[in-house]
Amino acid sequence: MNSTIRLTYRIIRSALDVNTISFLILLPVGYLLIMGLMMGSIIHSFNYGGSNLSYVSFIAPGIVADQILMGGSMAGWVLWSDKRTGMLEQIFSMPFSRFQYQLSNLIAMILVTFGGALIMILVAIPFISINITAYGFLLVFIYLVLGTLTFGSIMLALGATVRSNQVFNVISNVMFFVVTFTSSVFYPITSQTPRPLAMAAMLNPLTYVVDGIRGAFLNTSGVADVYYIAVLVTTSAIFMAIASLTYRRIKLSATV
Amino acid sequence: MNSIEVSDLKVSYDGKKYVVDGLSFDVEEGEIFGFLGPNGAGKTTTIRVLTTLIKPTQGTVNVLGMDVTKRGLEIRKRIGVILQQPSYEWNLSVEKNMYIYATLWNIPRSQVKKRIDELIEKFDLAEIRKVSAADISIGQRRRLQLVRELIHDSELLFLDEPTIGLDPIARKNLLTYFKSLAKDGTTIFFTTHNLEEADFLCDRVGIINHGRLYAIDSIDNLKATYEGDRTIEVLVNKAPERLAEKLKSRLVGAVVDGTFNKESPIKIVTNKVPDAMEIINEYIKEEGDSLLWLNIKKTELEDVFFKVVGEQQNE
């Protein structure tokens, strides 16, 4: 078996135990079904991009897009945890290069994102109206990959830099909250949105992933996707460069 | 043929101070080489260079005939490394930890179960086989870390203080196993604080302190070098620090060490036992102190280590 595949398997196997998988599934399912259906009882339907949408149909693409945060945070957590448990140093003393470890971590997080996204789509289908084409699926694939690379790289940089458990958890939880709630996951960004929040949404890469996936779900994709993808290619390139830099500077334990 | 060749190795982490300062030594194929030194001597840094985890600042290092700075990946395919730092997959059981490790080493599926079963039985891990690594004791985790490394074959095994945290039975079991590996041709590079272990296991030892190698030879030759020396252990009641001062100032060439409290004896390595006894007697008369414990013994590896490191520190 190829070294990168073996490392990827190890990362997924060591990161995903039953409790973690339950959390990764239950949290977004909770958002989708509880929040989607509860809010749907007061927001019956509204116009979005020329279509009349139920609230649950509106947030479903957002919850699917949110899986990039799940995959990304796993990658950062694995790196941080491997540093803490000594596995990083042990793996580096085995026949793997540092690049292979980083690549495996990226592949693992993309696989986890896809797994999560697939589960969310399957859970949502009975409750939403969806009009996706093969081209739409391709777009969803591209958005998920680019979004995961962007947020995964941010989390990898965090995992490479931070030493304390508390700091890692606090930063990742705050980031998760801020990124999710300043994007268009739960509400559309319109001319009515307060200006600072609209600005925050515009600077937030998750907004582009959500809007892109929403367009694919509703079959309203168009020229805007070129812009969204260009933004995400740029953010993923910038954050991957930052992640590589911090990763290269990881100091293994300082015992003499 | 040499498995390890080190020439004028220097390592600095900050660009100012060398933590390894001009090491040169060879380790022959099939040999068990012990690397002894106090805390902070540079043992782990040397292992990190040899296992290609860090690059040397200066000097040349060849492992299995390959330059560590150029052929790291190839070297790492043929070595086994048990690092000082504990490492384990905290959320997986002992058995699954071993399976993951076997996968990383690409052990054929047909052999994995058999190997794991053998190692689990040999190193008494059956009871905790299904228990998560997070729920076992520190000693059991260490045992898992050691046993895991034995899943794959290696030509050269690096052991950085491998027996820390092990109970005496597990320690003996493991050391005996390492001896059998060496008999089958595996070269072993072993660092330890425990000189009894080095005495039991190693063919040759090197004594390192402050990044420099101060002695390197077979254990028998090192003992012979200090043949005339004796180790005196003395415990007094009132003022051990004053006795230590007297011994240090008057016993030329001796190494005097200890914590100088009333619980642990002062240790003196010297070839002038009568002079030392005279100074001790003199102290007892002057201070009106009593002698609680006195022991004079022949030179062991521990005394050689103590003398080499002590002499160097006195300098």
Side-chain angles (χ1 to χ4, degrees), chain A residues 47 53 58 65 67 165 175 198 243:
Chain A
N47 188 285
L53 272 188
F58 175 79
Q67 294 306 304
N165 186 9
M175 202 186 84

PDB file of all heavy atoms in Angstrom, chain A residues 47 53 58 65 67 165 175 198 243:
ATOM      1  N   ASN A  47     -38.609  34.289  -0.727  1.00  0.00           N
ATOM      2  CA  ASN A  47     -38.051  34.320  -2.074  1.00  0.00           C
ATOM      3  C   ASN A  47     -36.528  34.396  -1.994  1.00  0.00           C
ATOM      4  O   ASN A  47     -35.974  35.250  -1.317  1.00  0.00           O
ATOM      5  CB  ASN A  47     -38.611  35.546  -2.807  1.00  0.00           C
ATOM      6  CG  ASN A  47     -38.203  35.506  -4.269  1.00  0.00           C
ATOM      7  OD1 ASN A  47     -37.051  35.771  -4.593  1.00  0.00           O
ATOM      8  ND2 ASN A  47     -39.148  35.164  -5.139  1.00  0.00           N
ATOM      9  N   LEU A  53     -38.640  29.377  -1.281  1.00  0.00           N
ATOM     10  CA  LEU A  53     -37.925  28.333  -0.550  1.00  0.00           C
ATOM     11  C   LEU A  53     -38.448  28.183   0.869  1.00  0.00           C
ATOM     12  O   LEU A  53     -38.766  29.175   1.535  1.00  0.00           O
ATOM     13  CB  LEU A  53     -36.445  28.734  -0.400  1.00  0.00           C
ATOM     14  CG  LEU A  53     -35.454  28.368  -1.485  1.00  0.00           C
ATOM     15  CD1 LEU A  53     -34.054  28.711  -1.001  1.00  0.00           C
ATOM     16  CD2 LEU A  53     -35.538  26.887  -1.795  1.00  0.00           C
ATOM     17  N   PHE A  58     -33.489  26.216   2.576  1.00  0.00           N
ATOM     18  CA  PHE A  58     -32.489  27.284   2.518  1.00  0.00           C
ATOM     19  C   PHE A  58     -31.225  26.902   3.294  1.00  0.00           C
ATOM     20  O   PHE A  58     -30.104  27.074   2.811  1.00  0.00           O
ATOM     21  CB  PHE A  58     -33.071  28.593   3.077  1.00  0.00           C
ATOM     22  CG  PHE A  58     -32.053  29.696   3.158  1.00  0.00           C
ATOM     23  CD1 PHE A  58     -31.690  30.416   2.018  1.00  0.00           C
ATOM     24  CD2 PHE A  58     -31.403  30.000   4.359  1.00  0.00           C
ATOM     25  CE1 PHE A  58     -30.724  31.414   2.078  1.00  0.00           C
ATOM     26  CE2 PHE A  58     -30.447  30.999   4.420  1.00  0.00           C
ATOM     27  CZ  PHE A  58     -30.097  31.707   3.276  1.00  0.00           C
ATOM     28  N   ALA A  65     -22.269  22.789   3.509  1.00  0.00           N
ATOM     29  CA  ALA A  65     -21.032  23.573   3.387  1.00  0.00           C
ATOM     30  C   ALA A  65     -20.278  23.635   4.714  1.00  0.00           C
ATOM     31  O   ALA A  65     -19.051  23.642   4.752  1.00  0.00           O
ATOM     32  CB  ALA A  65     -21.363  24.991   2.913  1.00  0.00           C
ATOM     33  N   GLN A  67     -19.712  21.459   6.669  1.00  0.00           N
ATOM     34  CA  GLN A  67     -18.878  20.269   6.879  1.00  0.00           C
ATOM     35  C   GLN A  67     -17.392  20.555   6.622  1.00  0.00           C
ATOM     36  O   GLN A  67     -16.516  19.845   7.103  1.00  0.00           O
ATOM     37  CB  GLN A  67     -19.339  19.116   5.966  1.00  0.00           C
ATOM     38  CG  GLN A  67     -20.713  18.590   6.299  1.00  0.00           C
ATOM     39  CD  GLN A  67     -20.829  18.191   7.745  1.00  0.00           C
ATOM     40  OE1 GLN A  67     -20.068  17.378   8.253  1.00  0.00           O
ATOM     41  NE2 GLN A  67     -21.774  18.800   8.443  1.00  0.00           N
ATOM     42  N   ASN A 165      -3.875  22.755  25.319  1.00  0.00           N
ATOM     43  CA  ASN A 165      -5.161  22.155  24.980  1.00  0.00           C
ATOM     44  C   ASN A 165      -6.276  23.206  25.017  1.00  0.00           C
ATOM     45  O   ASN A 165      -7.074  23.333  24.090  1.00  0.00           O
ATOM     46  CB  ASN A 165      -5.427  21.050  26.013  1.00  0.00           C
ATOM     47  CG  ASN A 165      -6.642  20.241  25.702  1.00  0.00           C
ATOM     48  OD1 ASN A 165      -7.215  20.378  24.634  1.00  0.00           O
ATOM     49  ND2 ASN A 165      -7.044  19.394  26.633  1.00  0.00           N
ATOM     50  N   MET A 175     -13.664  30.341  16.561  1.00  0.00           N
ATOM     51  CA  MET A 175     -13.593  30.479  15.105  1.00  0.00           C
ATOM     52  C   MET A 175     -14.797  29.794  14.428  1.00  0.00           C
ATOM     53  O   MET A 175     -15.411  30.350  13.522  1.00  0.00           O
ATOM     54  CB  MET A 175     -12.291  29.874  14.595  1.00  0.00           C
ATOM     55  CG  MET A 175     -11.888  30.423  13.246  1.00  0.00           C
ATOM     56  SD  MET A 175     -10.474  29.583  12.586  1.00  0.00           S
ATOM     57  CE  MET A 175     -11.252  28.190  11.838  1.00  0.00           C
ATOM     58  N   ALA A 198     -22.524  42.441   6.974  1.00  0.00           N
ATOM     59  CA  ALA A 198     -22.442  42.174   5.527  1.00  0.00           C
ATOM     60  C   ALA A 198     -20.981  42.173   5.082  1.00  0.00           C
ATOM     61  O   ALA A 198     -20.551  41.329   4.279  1.00  0.00           O
ATOM     62  CB  ALA A 198     -23.237  43.214   4.753  1.00  0.00           C
ATOM     63  N   ALA A 243      -0.025  27.609   6.397  1.00  0.00           N
ATOM     64  CA  ALA A 243       0.014  26.320   7.117  1.00  0.00           C
ATOM     65  C   ALA A 243       1.358  25.618   6.883  1.00  0.00           C
ATOM     66  O   ALA A 243       1.960  25.086   7.813  1.00  0.00           O
ATOM     67  CB  ALA A 243      -1.139  25.433   6.659  1.00  0.00           C
TER      68      ALA A 243
END
